Amino acid sequence: MSTVGQKERVTQDRVVRLFEQQLGYRYLGDWEKRAGNSHIEEDLVRRFLKSQHTPDALIDRALHQLKEKAQVQTQTLYDANQAVYELLRYGVKVKPETGEQSQTVQLVNWAHPEANDFALAEEVSVPGKHGKRPDIVLYLNGIAVGVLELKRSTVSVSEGIRQNLDNQKKVFIEPFFSAMQLVMAGNDTEGLRYGTIQTPEKYYLTWKEDEESSVPAQEHLLDTQLAQLCNKKRLLDLLLNFVVYDKGIKKLCRPNQYFGVKAARRAVREEKGGIIWHTQGSGKSLTMVWLAKWILENVEGSRVLIITDRTELDQQIEGTFLGVGESITRTASGAELLGLLAQPNPRLMCSLIHKFGAQDEGDISAFVQEVQQGQQAGFQPYGRFFVFVDECHRTQSGALHQAMTSLLPGAVMIGFTGTPLLKADKARSIEVFGPYIHTYRYDQAVRDGVVLDLKYEARDIDQHLTSTKKIDEWFALKTKDLTEAARSRLKQRWGTLQKVLSSQDRLNKIVADILLDMEKQPRLESGQGNAMLVVSSIYQACKVYELFLDAGFEKCAIVTSYKPSIADTKGEETGEGLTERLQQYETYIKMLNGKSPEDFEKEVKERFIKQPGQLRLLIVVDKLLTGFDAPSATYLYIDKTMRDHALFQAICRVNRLDGEEKEYGYVVDYKDLFGSLGQAFKDYTSGALDGYDQKDVQGLLQDRLATGRARLEERLEELRALCEPVPPPRDSQAHLHYFCGDPGQPEEANAKAPTRLLLYKLTGGLVRAYADIANELEQAGYTAAEGEMVRQQVAHFQKLSDEVKLASADYIDLKRYEPAMRHLIDTYIRADESEVVSAFEDLTLIDLLVQQGPAAVDQLPGSIKKDKTSVAETIENNLRKVITNEQPLNPAYYEQMSVLLDALIKERKEKALEYAAYLQKLAELAQQIKQVGGSQHYPASLATTAQRSLYDNLGQDEMLALRVDETVRRTRKDGWRGNLMKERELKRAVRTALGTHLVDEAHLAQLMELIRNQADY
């Protein structure tokens, strides 16, 4: 018997057995029918605390404080979750009696995993505004710390992730997640994905062991990953040591961070130093946070000093630790640091090398000199020191190591880097710091989805001289008063005159090239992504900036280290025109417009990150190319000779995950740094990166057109596979039945929703893949005939996607995703597609049906309207969707509408109505649905939607409906929804207004839910 597409029940039963039999969790049962399910099961919490010999009085007080911290009525889910986590991690401080000393009640026995109560329940029905039933909930000592949504093998794990995200909304079961730590989704095809509360779908992670696992592999990938992630020891380690609340975002560690810190722990225990190399974008800064925190909590007398050699890195490290609530002292001078090192506190510090007496950043000799002076003054450090050297590929010199060893004898030195070590430096670096503690290379990060692939393209800007004779004549005239020696020096100063005279034309071509990309490249054109241009000097940055302004492109800015001063203009005026320094000064003054360079840079960075459509291009020289908080972009244009570390870090500006539709980063090279323009085979591990070992930079860059074609073919194949089960004749009707189901069976249509969403997602990816190379199909290797065939296939799938959206009533739900996609479709695909769904841009099909009656059918795409069954089912699906969406506003009324729709569908299937008459009845039903029956069906006194909804759901009692309406309007306070006290006050007033009409508490709860859903209140 085939197990392909097996039901999730089969998977769930197997997963429950895994937890119970192999991981040693206690099975609590199927809780679908159990009343009072909670994220804090008091009986289980009491049972655990009693097993830890906690007195009853302390248990009562601890439980009271835990429940108080876990409520979300007066605080956000994030704040409540953080408060509960602190109680889990550090314990609950309570007083047995007033005036007595506080004692700490530990909710988790972190030191002895087996002493805790690990349990799970399945089908946990959770009450709420709209109750939900998570598949599996993990309880740690009676507190819900993990949730798992399972899907059958043919349904994407994304559906489980979205289900988790929905469940965390206020309208569903948000309070249930106030203690939640691990939020998971999985199936047998894709395995497990994990995140925590409010983790966006794109940031869910895949667990991956990188050392020999003690957990035996299971038959199914899902089971293996669950066993690795949720075994008792690993789960407690994750919760204790790898959770962080980072400036409003809760984060769990990635696997590379977990195993990097684990490896560093072993080195720390053995008091051995070494190097941690985690590639750019893989979370190195948080790895430092988790390691520092573990050292301070577990190594007696420990102190941590973090050394950097650049001001922005020093600021970033301070910001990272403070952002996650860890106290760190950033020293203001070398003298201050020397003083703090001799005292027991603070235990966590960061310092900049140049603060040791020198003005230039990274001045190690000045650092050494100041250290020696401090030691001569009788300096004596206090404590066991662990020194983190950030970006150790720059500061790995023996002089620094010698100075630190002299300053802090016995200190353990750990170097961190986001770039690989150069071949020439590798042996020396290992000699200085010790061996690699842990590595996570770029190609590993791409495979794990931590960073994006980079597409590389070298572009050649042709230059030529129109008349060398005239140039020589011009030069001779301009220099006729100079001696031969002076003329020679002038030529040497400018390099070659040809470069000077051709540079303006060359820069114009680069500017025009970038402006063309701004109009044709999808993410740039849509304003969802932006670009950085790296140039060789501040003067060139100013010159390019002026060229962009001259071309009418004002959404750009320069960010460099230059700070204009009036002193820059002294002695520069010659009467022969602007010198470089004068032009640079004037351009900057105009751009800053009265702001300081610091304020301008801060404002520009914020706009570039948060409003890419308003600041589309940054022109830089060195700044903003390094550091974890340097802004990311989609395109990086390079017109500067760069090598090794500088190049590696620069191109990693575009590998960040910063949008659902961003699938690659793009690097455009005007300097041909890899000598690839003349090569048929492009090896990006040589050329400008040949200072590295080849394996250390493998997979960093990929040829744009080659990977573009592969991606396009892959998307086409995925869509063909998705549509393969569609039965003959495989026409529009067959496709609509396959993706939308039978309108008379709402459950069937709902069951097919994941398949439809996959169609939309894959089609969107296909359109983006096609748009990336649509203008270069021939260069990508397609013949003209093949290119046309590809275009037709893309158009076919886009048309199919539009029809399915319309027929299933998904169209309006997805409108927020449409603008960028619509541009791509119109630009690259729809040349011969005159019939599109554009008639519905601002109206739903039901709106059109109300406005135009049966004539609205003429607005449908031709492939639908030519088939009467397709027309009928399309309208039925849209009506069903409106009824379902609007039902919470007036359950009684829309239940009646649903019955009428079912009756109409039955009549159509039994062919009891002519087509025209059937369309007319559908139009009439649409009128009733959209206008809630029309005012003629209600007493004249009921003028608002809320009053009519109360009337329909209170037995059509006019006076009672008006009394409840008046009570709500009189009693409700601003912001009453979600506020426990205000809701209680309103509920009491409604109870009084109902009087003898109140049936029971369930009736009152239903009525309150109805009131919450009314826009009038």
Side-chain angles (χ1 to χ4, degrees), residues 824-839:
L824 298 184
I825 293 160
D826 292 343
T827 303
Y828 297 106
I829 301 166
R830 286 296 177 85
D832 61 349
E833 293 287 332
S834 59
E835 290 188 86
V836 296
V837 292
S838 58

Side-chain angles (χ1 to χ4, degrees), residues 762-773:
L762 292 179
T763 304
L766 173 64
V767 172
R768 286 191 291 270
Y770 180 73
D772 273 349
I773 61 171

Side-chain angles (χ1 to χ4, degrees), residues 173-239:
I173 55 170
E174 182 191 52
F176 193 74
F177 287 81
S178 62
M180 201 64 68
Q181 308 302 318
L182 197 57
V183 182
M184 301 171 285
N187 65 18
D188 283 338
T189 308
E190 299 169 274
L192 185 72
R193 302 289 184 273
Y194 73 96
T196 186
I197 61 156
Q198 300 174 329
T199 302
E201 181 184 341
K202 66 180 177 180
Y203 291 121
Y204 266 68
L205 302 165
T206 301
W207 188 259
K208 182 180 177 183
E209 300 279 308
D210 80 347
E211 57 185 29
E212 202 166 313
S213 178
S214 59
V215 181
Q218 309 291 317
E219 180 182 351
H220 298 275
L221 174 63
L222 172 64
D223 297 12
T224 299
Q225 292 171 326
L226 281 169
Q228 291 168 343
L229 191 63
C230 297
N231 70 75
K232 295 177 180 179
K233 188 174 180 181
R234 172 73 56 79
L235 182 62
L236 286 192
D237 192 16
L238 285 169
L239 300 191

Side-chain angles (χ1 to χ4, degrees), residues 257-433:
Q257 294 170 316
Y258 177 81
F259 290 109
V261 171
K262 289 269 286 185
R265 287 185 199 170
R266 290 192 290 270
V268 165
R269 290 191 187 101
E270 297 170 7
E271 297 194 347
K272 292 180 180 178
I275 298 169
I276 296 176
W277 165 30
H278 283 188
T279 195
Q280 294 277 320
S282 61
K284 174 170 60 74
S285 298
L286 285 182
T287 301
M288 293 175 69
V289 169
W290 281 314
L291 178 58
K293 190 167 184 174
W294 183 86
I295 289 172
L296 295 174
E297 290 182 344
N298 292 276
V299 179
E300 188 176 352
S302 59
R303 302 180 74 188
V304 175
L305 170 63
I306 304 174
I307 296 287
T308 64
D309 66 349
R310 290 194 179 179
T311 302
E312 62 264 30
L313 290 175
D314 195 39
Q315 293 169 340
Q316 288 165 12
I317 285 169
E318 179 192 36
T320 299
F321 277 84
L322 293 178
V324 299
E326 296 297 327
S327 176
I328 185 170
T329 299
R330 180 171 167 233
T331 60
S333 67
E336 181 187 3
L337 178 62
L338 288 169
L340 292 176
L341 294 177
Q343 301 172 12
N345 288 303
R347 296 181 64 201
L348 179 60
M349 295 160 282
C350 62
S351 183
L352 192 65
I353 287 175
H354 87 255
K355 286 180 179 170
F356 284 81
Q359 294 301 311
D360 296 328
E361 295 187 354
D363 191 336
I364 295 174
S365 60
F367 168 82
V368 173
Q369 184 179 355
E370 186 128 4
V371 166
Q372 291 171 343
Q373 291 173 353
Q375 288 175 309
Q376 290 169 3
F379 170 78
Q380 185 66 40
Y382 186 99
R384 296 173 63 185
F385 275 92
F386 296 84
V387 181
F388 294 177
V389 181
D390 193 30
E391 300 297 353
C392 67
H393 64 269
R394 286 200 298 265
T395 51
Q396 85 285 46
S397 77
L400 171 65
H401 184 266
Q402 183 181 351
M404 292 306 303
T405 304
S406 173
L407 180 68
L408 301 170
V412 175
M413 301 270 286
I414 300 176
F416 288 82
T417 182
T419 60
L421 298 175
L422 293 168
K423 286 185 284 189
D425 295 336
K426 188 176 286 188
R428 178 61 177 154
S429 298
I430 291 174
E431 179 185 332
V432 168
F433 284 100

